[in-house]
Amino acid sequence: MSDADAPDVLVLRRGTHGIPIEQYADAIRDRLPDHTVALARTPAAERETIRDATFVTGMTLEEALLEHAENLSVFACAYAGTGHLPLEELESRGVTVTNASGVHGPNIGEHVLGSILYFTRRFHVGARRQRRREWRHYRAHELQGSTVTVIGLGAIGQAVCERLEPFGVETIGVRYTPAKGGPTDEVIGFESEAFDDALARTDYLVLACPLTETTHGLLDREAFVTIDPDAVVVNVARGPVIETDALVEALRSNWIRGAALDVTDPEPLPEAHPLWTFENVQLTPHNAGHTPQYYDRLADIVAENVCRIDADGADADLENQVLP
């Protein structure tokens, strides 16, 4: 393939959330009608087409495939996280990397809100009594007046806070740089004293942070001992943010009221794992990110950046740029 035949945008073949990758390519074409958008549907097509492509987008970019990319200048990652990419190699090649930050705000924000209301109104108890055909009242809670702590104030954390606004809750935000502020009543860092104080007065703890050295195992046994025993933990971050054995102990010992887990460690959760057995655990299979609008939001970012490159060339300031 010659440079003249190279597409303006190359879409790699791997999709996500069970949605055909063709929809992503079509969404980009709709937004860039004057550009060529190619979809590589086989490994061989990827190796061939990426050789001259300058702008590539996909869920991941393996080092073996990157070796074939002779002219790559931009890789638009279709995930918000980029830790799975060969970042050092991309940086050494001078490749600009963007991510999908912001794509998951509405859908995961709604998932978190639904999880909180699920435990507030104790729908799991109602569902159990419905299965038994048992008409008997049970105690529920109110969200109003509760304290919700959101760990991670990126696009997802902010979306959660926006959706909590009408419910009359107090909010605490936890982020690496508290001085940046945030859409919460209070913003703290990960310092042990401030963090422990927040845990002790939290009714709903939402994990929406990236997995880093700081957040790996953040909720350990000491954290579960410290947290308010009426608290509910909602994890839409990554499984290893919670120490799984400590979580199981906390549930068995009634150190927390419940947990809504969209991610687990290990993942997928083994069939014999005890987390399946708790009636006060809501499990979803890493599904909070699913939305029919996923590829449309990704395509908006890609199309905007292609237009910026058309206007400003290599000096363009790209949306969601994470490298360099």
Side-chain angles (χ1 to χ4, degrees):
M1 179 181 290
S2 66
D3 290 352
D5 295 329
D8 296 316
V9 179
L10 171 62
V11 180
L12 302 181
R13 62 194 170 92
R14 178 179 173 182
T16 191
H17 296 307
I19 310 173
I21 194 65
E22 284 81 2
Q23 293 185 21
Y24 183 31
D26 288 342
I28 298 173
R29 292 188 185 105
D30 288 344
R31 288 156 177 77
L32 297 171
D34 297 326
H35 294 73
T36 56
V37 179
L39 171 60
R41 288 299 290 117
T42 67
E46 285 184 333
R47 291 191 296 270
E48 174 64 24
T49 313
I50 203 173
R51 191 175 304 280
D52 298 311
T54 58
F55 193 113
V56 176
T57 183
M59 306 299 153
T60 189
L61 179 58
E62 306 293 343
E63 286 194 56
L65 180 60
L66 181 58
E67 290 178 0
H68 295 271
E70 298 177 0
N71 296 307
L72 182 63
S73 59
V74 177
F75 178 69
C77 182
Y79 289 135
T82 56
H84 62 292
L85 299 177
L87 293 176
E88 291 185 2
E89 178 64 19
L90 287 164
E91 185 174 19
S92 70
R93 289 168 170 253
V95 177
T96 297
V97 176
T98 64
N99 69 5
S101 178
V103 168
H104 283 311
N107 42 320
I108 296 186
E110 291 174 5
H111 184 97
V112 169
L113 186 58
S115 298
I116 289 174
L117 292 173
Y118 176 88
F119 279 97
T120 299
R121 301 310 301 172
R122 300 186 74 198
F123 290 134
H124 56 297
V125 177
R128 184 170 67 247
R129 296 191 179 181
Q130 179 179 348
R131 289 194 300 270
R132 296 173 177 173
R133 302 185 184 186
E134 181 181 0
W135 188 273
R136 183 163 59 90
H137 291 183
Y138 58 90
R139 179 176 173 268
H141 306 273
E142 284 189 4
L143 183 54
Q144 181 172 281
S146 300
T147 297
V148 182
T149 296
V150 180
I151 301 178
L153 292 179
I156 293 172
Q158 292 180 38
V160 170
C161 294
E162 290 170 5
R163 283 155 181 76
L164 286 170
E165 184 70 27
F167 287 89
V169 299
E170 292 291 319
T171 52
I172 304 171
V174 183
R175 69 186 316 169
Y176 292 104
T177 311
K180 289 184 178 179
T184 50
D185 297 307
E186 180 182 347
V187 181
I188 65 171
F190 287 93
E191 296 80 11
S192 58
E193 188 171 338
F195 185 67
D196 289 344
D197 177 69
L199 290 180
R201 51 194 173 100
T202 292
D203 298 297
Y204 297 91
L205 180 65
V206 178
L207 303 174
C209 52
L211 181 62
T212 66
E213 289 184 6
T214 300
T215 61
H216 192 286
L218 182 67
L219 290 196
D220 56 12
R221 190 178 191 277
E222 287 302 309
F224 283 115
V225 171
T226 302
I227 197 169
D228 188 299
D230 283 331
V232 171
V233 175
V234 181
N235 191 6
V236 291
R238 288 293 183 267
V241 175
I242 299 176
E243 287 189 3
T244 302
D245 289 346
L247 172 61
V248 171
E249 183 181 8
L251 290 162
R252 285 174 172 163
S253 303
N254 294 317
W255 292 345
I256 57 174
R257 176 153 47 106
L261 308 173
D262 187 57
V263 289
T264 59
D265 182 26
E267 186 175 308
L269 195 64
E271 185 178 347
H273 201 281
L275 281 174
W276 289 110
T277 66
F278 292 99
E279 291 185 344
N280 59 339
V281 172
Q282 177 193 19
L283 286 167
T284 49
H286 208 142
N287 206 60
H290 184 275
T291 169
Q293 281 73 47
Y294 186 81
Y295 286 148
D296 286 331
R297 294 183 188 134
L298 284 174
D300 287 341
I301 298 171
V302 167
E304 173 62 25
N305 284 337
V306 169
C307 291
R308 292 185 187 186
I309 292 171
D310 287 347
D312 301 323
D315 296 326
D317 180 22
L318 302 187
E319 183 178 349
N320 284 3
Q321 184 170 331
V322 296
L323 187 74

